[in-house]
Amino acid sequence: QSVLTQPPSVSGAPGQRVTISCTGSSSNIGARFDVHWYQQLPGTAPKLLIYGNNNRPSGVPDRFSGSKSGTSASLAITGLQAEDEADYYCQSYDSSLGLSGYVFGTGTKVTVL
Amino acid sequence: EVQLLESGGRLVQPGGSLRLSCVASGFTFNNYAMNWVRQAPGKGLEWVSEISGGGGTTNYADSVKGRFTISRDNPKNTVYLQMSGLRAEDTAVYYCAKDDRHFPTDGFMDVWGRGTTVIVSS
């Protein structure tokens, strides 16, 4: 059961900018735990895309950026390319009564039109 | 090169048991916590369990607590997931993922294996 909510899908034409929201609560994102993002290309394992809210690992294009505010976070993809078509997941840490551990978002499928 | 290689997934009957393994290479294994994450067919990612670098601290998702046990053998660079009381809803690809820190809190998973498939069915 995901505690972080994402839109099921977003789409855009090549070159456009799309954003994916990730909504949590006071026990995870709102508790100042960092948000991280993963990209999962079809048929492959997830890959770390953004860590610590807005940091890109080596090799990730600067077209990808992250932000966080309050109980939500966002991933932005600018200059959308065909190879960006994938599923994207946010992830944080949750510490509440009866639950303590990592949590993932529901996932968002990005389609390049 | 940092790598994780899972194994052990197979078809198992409901109520059965299975042990998954994940062998790590390319980094100092005992310096990092390790995680298991699963993905049911056509579904999203679900964190399953985590273990600290030294093995002394473990944590589980509510959905598997009391049925799954995570452990590690640092000299063998291997993390395990012992699964018992398996249910149809445990059917998934199970990924092993390296944590970015020694103790699993407020971290992220920077290296993932390719996964191993567990199917629970009669």
Side-chain angles (χ1 to χ4, degrees):
Chain A
Q1 181 178 349
S2 299
V3 297
L4 304 180
T5 302
Q6 301 178 230
S9 63
V10 298
S11 61
Q16 284 190 331
R17 179 179 186 269
V18 296
T19 62
I20 301 170
S21 60
C22 173
T23 303
S25 67
S26 59
S27 64
N28 42 68
I29 298 175
R32 301 186 182 181
F33 291 123
D34 286 342
V35 177
H36 321 286
W37 293 88
Y38 302 87
Q39 177 192 58
Q40 187 176 31
L41 297 171
T44 69
K47 167 193 159 186
L48 180 66
L49 191 67
I50 296 287
Y51 67 92
N53 304 316
N54 56 11
N55 300 287
R56 283 176 285 104
S58 174
V60 173
D62 59 6
R63 302 185 290 104
F64 295 92
S65 62
S67 64
K68 174 190 160 183
S69 179
T71 59
S72 296
S74 290
L75 173 72
I77 311 174
T78 56
L80 193 64
Q81 298 184 6
E83 67 229 43
D84 300 333
E85 192 158 284
D87 293 323
Y88 294 81
Y89 296 89
C90 59
Q91 175 250 309
S92 187
Y93 191 82
D94 194 287
S95 184
S96 58
L97 189 63
L99 171 67
S100 181
Y102 291 131
V103 288
F104 283 99
T106 48
T108 298
K109 181 175 181 59
V110 170
T111 301
V112 181
L113 301 173
Chain B
E1 181 187 5
V2 178
Q3 281 191 325
L4 300 172
L5 184 61
E6 305 95 334
S7 62
R10 62 173 175 86
L11 173 65
V12 60
Q13 290 192 340
S17 298
L18 199 59
R19 189 178 81 160
L20 306 182
S21 300
C22 170
V23 178
S25 60
F27 63 98
T28 304
F29 184 67
N30 60 7
N31 279 358
Y32 297 95
M34 296 295 294
N35 297 272
W36 286 97
V37 176
R38 69 184 180 182
Q39 186 170 34
K43 303 297 184 181
L45 301 175
E46 180 189 15
W47 171 78
V48 172
S49 183
E50 62 193 3
I51 186 167
S52 60
T57 299
T58 60
N59 205 359
Y60 301 91
D62 281 351
S63 57
V64 307
K65 199 172 295 184
R67 300 188 300 124
F68 290 11
T69 301
I70 191 171
S71 62
R72 64 192 295 160
D73 185 335
N74 283 345
K76 292 185 177 179
N77 282 4
T78 302
V79 60
Y80 304 99
L81 186 67
Q82 178 68 47
M83 304 185 292
S84 61
L86 283 163
R87 308 165 180 167
E89 54 265 36
D90 295 318
T91 294
V93 175
Y94 284 74
Y95 295 103
C96 171
K98 171 186 168 291
D99 207 280
D100 78 302
R101 57 200 65 191
H102 181 83
F103 191 85
T105 178
D106 197 20
F108 55 89
M109 294 163 239
D110 56 1
V111 181
W112 294 66
R114 292 186 176 184
T116 187
T117 300
V118 174
I119 301 174
V120 183
S121 175
S122 55

